[in-house]
């Protein structure tokens, strides 16, 4: 079970050989889109607006205000990143 030792060194824990054998039958894996899989922490990459009269700047401002007191990890990211963007845009 050399591979489980190597995997453990990379932070991947495998319960046992039977689990590894069962994993060979997997045909699909579904991941969420929070960014935690590849980056280790969520981030805002893009803002898209759909069929309304608000600009991206207005939506950014509203989202930052709505999430400002959030304790949820994604709410904190939205608030922090949008408030930083608003501050940068104000200084430019």
């Amino acid at each position: 079970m050399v591979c489980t030792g190597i995997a453990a060194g990379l932070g991947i824990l495998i319960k046992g050989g039977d689990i590894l054998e069962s994993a060979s039958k997997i045909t699909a894996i579904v991941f969420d889109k929070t960014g935690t899989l590849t980056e280790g922490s969520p981030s805002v990459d893009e803002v898209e607006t759909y069929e309304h009269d608000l600009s991206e700047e207005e939506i950014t401002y509203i989202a930052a205000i709505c999430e400002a007191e959030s304790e949820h990890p994604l709410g904190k990211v939205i608030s922090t990143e949008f408030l930083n963007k608003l501050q940068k845009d104000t200084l430019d």
Side-chain angles (χ1 to χ4, degrees), residues 61-72 74-80 82-83:
Y61 178 77
I62 292 167
I65 297 304
C66 289
E67 297 293 348
E69 299 299 320
S70 176
E71 294 182 14
H72 190 280
L74 296 180
K76 288 180 181 181
V77 169
I78 290 169
S79 179
T80 301
F82 286 169
L83 289 174

Side-chain angles (χ1 to χ4, degrees), residues 12-31:
I12 302 168
L13 302 178
I14 301 170
K15 194 170 185 177
D18 58 327
I19 302 298
L20 203 50
E21 286 180 31
S22 295
S24 70
K25 298 174 186 157
I26 294 173
T27 59
I29 299 175
V30 178
F31 297 102

Side-chain angles (χ1 to χ4, degrees), residues 32-46 72-81:
D32 67 8
K33 300 184 330 179
T34 61
T36 56
L37 180 65
T38 57
E39 298 292 326
S41 61
S43 64
V44 176
D45 294 330
E46 184 178 350
H72 190 280
L74 296 180
K76 288 180 181 181
V77 169
I78 290 169
S79 179
T80 301
E81 291 201 20

